[in-house]
Amino acid sequence: MGACHMGAQTIVTGTVGDGHEPLTGANVFLLGSIDGCLTDSLGRFSFTTQQTGEVTLRATFIGFNDYTFTADVGQLQNLTINMAERALSINEVAVTASTFSFGRSDSFKTMDALDVVMAGNSCGDIVAALQTLPGTQMVGEDGKLYVRGGESDECQTFVNGMHVLIPYSTETENSAVRGRFSPFLFKGISFSLGGYGGEYGQALSAVLPMETTDMATSDKYGVSASLVDWNIGGTKAFTNSSLSFNAALTSLGLYDRLFTQRFDFTRPYRKLSGEAQYKTELSATSVLKSYVGYDLTSVGLHVDDRNLNLCEHNVYANITHRTQIARSTTLFTGIANSSVWNNIDDAVSAGDHYRNFRNEVHLKAELHKVCSDALKLSAGVEDYIRNSTLRFAPYRYDLAYNILAAHADAQWRIVPRVFLNVSARTEAMWNHRLLMPRATLSYIPSHRLQFSLVAGRYSQTAADDYLAQRNLRQSTADHAVFSMQYQAKNTLLRIEPYWKQYHRLPLLQQGIWQPNGYGTSRGVDVFVEDHSLVRNLATTLSYSYNDSRRLYLDYTEERTPHYASRHNLRLTAKFAIGKFIAGVAESYASGRHFPTGTTPCYNSFDVNLTWLASPKVIVYTSLNNVFGRTNVFRYDTAGSPVTASRDRFFYIGIFVSLKNNKAYDISNF
C-alpha cells in the first residue's frame, strides 16, 4: 500500500468488502477534498490528509450502494467497511436464458459482424454462423436453422421487431440456402432457442430478432470481392439522419469453372440483391427507421430428363417509429411487407410450371412503461395479413387470412436477486382463439452467475399448402427450459436442459389434412467459450443432445424426424499472431434416420486465415472439409445417398473500407 496524497498530518486506513470477500478498486475519499485512493487487491486503502476535526468518509463501488461515515478524522484508522450490493434496476437486468446476444456491448460478446463473415464455414452468412451454437441441427441438404428438434420454419426472423415472411434465398434441392441479410446491417442479434416473451408469435421453436444499426454520424463506403460474391455499399450522413445502401452480386459461375462438382448445372446459382436504409432522429426521444431489400435469385439444374429452372423475386420492407410519449413511457409502431414470387419450370416433370406468390403485411403497436426500478410493463397489438396463390397443375388455390394478436408483459424484481417475467399472448385466426401464458423466473446471485426456469406455450399456423385444403387450427408447443450460466472475466459456461411437447401438428389421414399430429423433443445444450487458456487464443465448445419423436405430415407411425440428429458437437479455436488470425473448427453430428436407412455421422474439419493487411484492408480465406470427407445428408426414397455438390469449399475475399477513420471496419453500413 502507498499513500495517495502526501504531506498529511493524519493517515486514514482500513479495508472494504461486501461481507464475504474484499472489493478491489473501490474509491475511498473524504468529501470536500481531493484526499483519497483506490483499494488494492485485498480491499485495503491508506491515504494521508491535512483535514482536521469532523469529516465525512465515502466509499463507492460499481454495483454497490455508497457508504458514508462521519467522525473525527483521528478515528479513521483500521476501519472495516462492508458495502451493501445495490439492487439492480429492472432496466439493468439481462436474463440470458435460452438466448444468445451478439454485438451488444453490455453483455458477454460471443459473435459480431466480423465473426460472422470470418467464421470457418459461414462465408458471410448469418444463418451458417448461428449453426455453430448449441441447440441447432446440422441439416446440410438445405442449410436452414433447425432448433431443438423443431422444423426449419418453426424459427422465425424479425427485423426491428417486424416479421420477415421468407428470410432465405431459394436454392435447388440438396443445396444449402443462404440468409438474405448482411451481418453488417445489424447492431444486435438475439437468437432465442425457446422460451421467449409474449412479444413474439408464430414461432413454435425459436425466434431470431435483429436490430439494424443506429443513425450514422459520418460518411463511409466499403467494397468487397471474392470468388463467389461482390459488394459495394456506403452511408451518407446528414444533420439528423443518414441514408445507407448496399448492392451485391453472388454468382457461382466462376467457382464452378475453377472447381469440379457433382451436379449438372445448366445455369449457375446467381443472386442480385440491393438494400437501403433511412434512419432519422425526429427529436431527442423520437427515432424513425426504414429498410427495404430486394433479391433476385436464379439457378438451373439438369435432373434426369428435365431441366429444372428456378427464379425467385423477394421483396421486404418495413418502417418503424419509436417515441417517448410521457415520462418513462414509449410507443412503438411499425408496418412491414413481405412479397415473394417463386417460379419453377420442370419442377416435377418436363414441361410443368410452378407459380407461387406469397404476401404478408405485418402491423404492430406497443406501449412500454417503466413504472419503477422494480417493475416494467409492456402491451401490444398486431395483425398478420396474408395471402397466397398457387398455379401448378393439377393443384391451384387462392388463399387469404389474417391473424390478430395481443400481448401483455410484466417484468418484476421480486427481491433484489430474484426476477419474474410474466406474459400472456392471445391470437385469433378464423373462429379459433388461443391463450398462451409464458413465464421466466430468474435468480441472479452475482454478476457472474444466473439461474432461470422458463415455461410457456407457443403457436404457429400450418403451411399455406395445407391451409388451402382445410382450415386447420394452429399448432402449439409447450416449452420448459432450465438455464444455468456462469460468466467469469474470460470464460462463459452455459448448460440448458429443455423439454417441448407439440400438439395439433398437421397430419395426413386418409388423404385429408387433420390437426391430429403430435410430438416431443427433449435434450440438453452445453456452451463454453474461453479466452484464458493461452494469450490471444479464443476457444468454444458447443454440444447438443436431442431426443425427438413425432407423428405428423405423412408419417404412419411416431418416429424421429428425418432432420434430427441425436448428437451435435462443434469445437472452434481462433489464434491471433500479429496481423494474422488463424482459426480451426471441427463439426460432428450423429446419423439421421430415414425409412430407407440411417446416414453415417457427419464430420467436417475447417480452417481459415485472416490477414489485417492495413487498417482499411482485410483479406480472408477459408477451406471447409479439409480432408474431403463425403458426407451423406440423407437417403432418397430409393435408398440412394444424397450428398453435397462438392466435398470441399474454398473461399477467399478482400474487404476494403473507403472514407472511414475507423480501422478494420468493413461495414458497408
Side-chain angles (χ1 to χ4, degrees), residues 335-366:
I335 179 172
N337 185 86
S338 297
S339 298
V340 182
W341 294 263
N342 194 7
N343 302 324
I344 307 175
D345 294 328
D346 288 10
V348 176
S349 59
D352 66 19
H353 304 282
Y354 177 94
R355 302 290 184 264
N356 180 226
F357 169 72
R358 296 180 64 189
N359 190 82
E360 176 189 81
V361 176
H362 183 205
L363 307 173
K364 186 175 182 179
E366 276 188 323

Side-chain angles (χ1 to χ4, degrees), residues 196-200 378-380 382 405-410 421-427 434-439 455-457:
Y196 32 92
E199 176 184 359
Y200 298 111
S378 65
E382 57 189 319
H407 74 272
D409 183 287
N421 183 307
V422 179
S423 63
R425 182 179 179 88
T426 181
E427 293 183 353
L434 282 174
L435 177 63
M436 294 164 283
R438 304 170 185 179
R457 172 160 288 188

Side-chain angles (χ1 to χ4, degrees), residues 445-563:
S446 70
H447 65 282
R448 294 183 176 181
L449 190 61
Q450 183 175 135
F451 300 95
S452 296
L453 183 62
V454 186
R457 172 160 288 188
Y458 305 84
S459 69
Q460 190 169 348
T461 61
D464 287 351
D465 289 350
Y466 309 147
L467 291 178
Q469 299 181 38
R470 184 179 175 87
N471 294 346
L472 298 174
R473 297 183 63 185
Q474 294 197 65
S475 302
T476 62
D478 297 324
H479 294 197
V481 183
F482 174 76
S483 176
M484 188 282 289
Q485 177 172 298
Y486 174 77
Q487 179 178 317
K489 180 179 180 181
N490 294 307
T491 304
L492 173 68
L493 168 65
R494 181 181 293 184
I495 302 174
E496 289 190 350
Y498 62 88
W499 171 87
K500 291 194 292 185
Q501 179 78 50
Y502 290 90
H503 308 276
R504 296 203 298 267
L505 297 174
L507 179 64
L508 189 62
Q509 294 178 306
Q510 298 179 344
I512 300 175
W513 289 105
Q514 303 281 2
N516 296 331
Y518 56 87
T520 59
S521 180
R522 57 187 178 181
V524 60
D525 297 336
V526 179
F527 182 76
V528 182
E529 181 174 3
D530 187 84
H531 300 259
S532 64
L533 297 178
V534 177
R535 185 180 179 183
N536 298 329
L537 176 67
T539 59
T540 66
L541 179 151
S542 175
Y543 170 73
S544 297
Y545 169 83
N546 176 259
D547 178 19
S548 59
R549 297 185 65 82
R550 286 192 178 196
L551 175 65
Y552 82 136
L553 301 183
D554 58 352
Y555 288 16
T556 57
E557 61 182 2
E558 185 180 5
R559 62 180 176 88
T560 300
H562 64 84
Y563 54 80

